[in-house]
Amino acid sequence: MNKSQNGFAQKRNRSSFQRTNKLLNKHGKAYRSQDVKSFKKRKHESSTAPNEAIDTTNNSQPQPVLSQDHYAELLGSLKKKPRTYYEELLGESSEDGESGDEISEKVEENTVASLSEQDEDEISYDESEEGEEEEEEDVVDYLKLNFGSDVVLSSKEGLSQSNVPHALYRIQKTSNVSDTMSDVKTLTDLLNLGIDPALVNKWSSITKQIKSKGVMKPVSSTLFPYIAAGQDLLFTDSNFENQAELIKLLAFHCVNHALKTRKTVLKNNSKISGAEDADSISDDMRDQGFTRPKILVLFPFRNVAHKFVHQVLKIALTGSKKQVSNKKRFEDEYGPGESEKPNLSKSLSYQRTFLGNNDDFFTLGVAFAKNSVKLYTDFYSSDLIVASPLGLRSVVGAPGDKERDYDFLSSIEVLSLFMSDVFLMQNWEHLLHCIDHLNLQPSSTNHTDFSRVKQWALDGHGKYFRQNLVFSSLAAAQISALFGKECVSHRGLVKIYPHSYKDILSQILYSVRQVFSRMRDRKEGESLADYLTTGRYQYFVDNVLPRLRGSDITNIVIVIPSYYDFIRVRNYFKRENLKFSQLSEYSSNKTITNVRRDFAEGTVKYLLTTERFFFFKRYKLQNVQQVVFYECPVYAECYLHYLNMLSNEGAVSTLLYSKLDGEKLVRVVGERQCKQLLNSPQSTHVLMSE
């Protein structure tokens, strides 16, 4: 063993023992002596381990044509300091429920424009910090030492294209993900993946895809081998057509994980009870975490959680004796209601998203027992937690809150984010806050049997053994950044994209002159945050707004996806005494009615609005003569929604974009046009819709 490895082994064993010893001060001599014996054994094995080279270098990674992984990784470096800056900027205005006027008053004296006045030392945009790099190197060595030389850390290795082409998707993966993963076609394939035999039989009885069509539909057949292997997964082709199948697949995996964990614990309980020396517990009987909950699934609305829990009940319950506790209460609180009807005046995607119970504040504990499932269990007595980011955030709380609790999240082994793109339209900060509190050392040991806690949990490496499943209908920089930063399972990482994207230009109803204006390139030494915020803002003020002010055209809608940019532009309009109205997700119904009326009558020239306002309201505006997109919207449907309001002759739209907006731009114009817009030496392009 070389000096660096030997130094790491001593450092790891010493720090591991110190952490464990600190937790054990309250828990008796019997277990203390057992842990010391285990520690000495591990120390001896580490000191006599063969000398293996540890390669943590980044492999070259051929990126797909329009992938913005680099962009996402840089955005992922904007950690707590920039987020804290924005929180200070907006005060409490980012909390849901406040009107636009109230928010305006709070930030009037502290606008985003003051970003240029901030001391550069106050906001750090470094991609990584020295301490974090050392920690990741230690973790790589820890995993190799305990689990073999083929273990890699996803965050330390680049992605490569799968060597085996897939008919439906483009697959990227880390090197420890096998290229021989084959789709699930038979029940034997499920058994070979380690699925509980009872669940395999149950799956065959509830699925309709038996015999010639296989046991799973194509999307599940592709995804499930990676999911069953415990690898992190980012899937960006979730849609309303395959949503039901993905929910069933997720429920199947969650039930399998919960029941296998339960069987292992019961089996070891019987071994311990039958042993002569009950205090002597071997390392292979360490089968638990600090707390009972092992699975956390986050949904944006109750209607999707309702579908998921129904699938869980259908898969988990077998035999004639089926018991579900609190099912009536669940149906009352999560069900659609008798009078629920779709809003036919809205688009089909809006109806599918919000049909049913669209409340976004909920938490639900689920516990599994023999032939029964209990709903509304206490978190510490639950195997599965179903929640929304807002609901979970209310429980986790914030520093200074009198009542807050997150110890029940200390042993999460499976995290699933379903419909992650919708989280972008809610409050992304809630999601980040909840994930920051996963797999932390608990502050209380009331629910912990340390003699059964897995060693890697005691060593504080829980997040490297947590599987993360992220489902989204689109690829977005925030989602990619979250996946790259938080999803670091040692089992490997897989990203699955559709082969191609369909544009929405053919769905534009009227003849519109569409101007695509590319902002300047990023300057050498300019931080990514400055480029994406101040750079875009300055380009809009210097190049776009003067043309709008000098034009005789009225009734101009300016769509600003980011709420922070919305605040910044709105305050500029106020300083310049421009006559405008505003609509955001915080606007009251009365304000919306008045603004729509004034805009239709032409009493104001500009209307500033946000993409979140479009997502939750989908209102149609009258007499729109021109639309300006401050940034390419996350949802291509937002672009289509506003362009289909331009029914006047000679209508014009303008979209500002940068070379880093390929993931969003491709959904608007398609791959061929997107390549031209990104790579052309010209910065302005015009497309005409017939």
Side-chain angles (χ1 to χ4, degrees), residues 309 313 317 322-331 364-377:
V309 173
L313 297 178
L317 296 176
K322 302 177 182 179
Q323 296 181 355
V324 181
S325 302
N326 299 314
K327 187 175 182 180
K328 184 179 185 304
R329 176 186 172 188
F330 173 75
E331 293 296 335
L364 177 69
V366 181
F368 298 96
K370 187 176 182 179
N371 294 327
S372 68
V373 177
K374 300 178 182 179
L375 305 179
Y376 293 95
T377 53

Side-chain angles (χ1 to χ4, degrees), residues 227-244:
I227 294 176
Q231 290 147 0
D232 287 348
L233 171 69
L234 172 61
F235 181 64
T236 62
D237 194 32
S238 173
N239 52 56
F240 295 110
E241 283 68 32
N242 61 26
Q243 184 186 88

Side-chain angles (χ1 to χ4, degrees), residues 92-98 360 390 426-427 430 586 612:
E92 298 178 356
S93 61
S94 62
E95 298 296 329
D96 294 339
E98 294 186 321
D360 64 351
L390 177 60
Q426 295 178 333
N427 193 325
H430 290 333
Y586 301 109
R612 286 176 64 182

Side-chain angles (χ1 to χ4, degrees), residues 206 244 246-252 254-255 297-299 301-317 323-331 333-335 362-368 373-377 384-387 418:
I206 64 175
L246 291 177
I247 289 176
K248 183 168 65 174
L249 179 69
L250 179 60
F252 184 62
C254 290
V255 172
V297 185
L298 298 180
F299 295 104
F301 305 116
R302 289 186 184 236
N303 54 10
V304 193
H306 181 258
K307 299 174 184 176
F308 171 76
V309 173
H310 266 276
Q311 288 295 337
V312 167
L313 297 178
K314 186 182 295 184
I315 295 171
L317 296 176
Q323 296 181 355
V324 181
S325 302
N326 299 314
K327 187 175 182 180
K328 184 179 185 304
R329 176 186 172 188
F330 173 75
E331 293 296 335
E333 296 183 2
Y334 287 77
F362 61 92
T363 57
L364 177 69
V366 181
F368 298 96
V373 177
K374 300 178 182 179
L375 305 179
Y376 293 95
T377 53
L384 163 67
I385 296 175
V386 179
F418 201 82

